[in-house]
Amino acid sequence: MKSVRKALRDGSLYKDTYERLNCSDCEKKLGSKNDPDEIGTVRVCEECGGEWKEL
């Protein structure tokens, strides 16, 4: 699982006008999956199932 920062740099993710994260493949807004036992948030694309870790 890549980090959000790396995915933004390589073009897998992009930010829209309102600074929301979007998947470049599906062009859909990412959702969040929070696990209370771990540090950070996992960002998930509902369309393609991609996951990225955000610290």
Side-chain angles (χ1 to χ4, degrees):
M1 179 180 340
K2 280 198 223 176
S3 71
V4 170
R5 293 175 105 187
K6 284 183 183 177
L8 284 169
R9 274 189 248 131
D10 71 11
S12 301
L13 297 178
Y14 69 94
K15 288 187 177 184
D16 65 1
T17 308
Y18 301 105
E19 296 293 316
R20 293 179 293 214
L21 290 170
N22 294 295
C23 180
S24 294
D25 297 334
C26 314
E27 298 183 0
K28 298 286 182 178
K29 188 177 80 156
L30 298 182
S32 297
K33 195 167 48 170
N34 294 327
D35 186 8
D37 296 334
E38 290 188 25
I39 297 173
T41 303
V42 176
R43 303 298 300 233
V44 180
C45 178
E46 303 295 330
E47 190 78 23
C48 67
E51 293 185 344
W52 298 271
K53 188 164 191 136
E54 184 176 44
L55 295 175

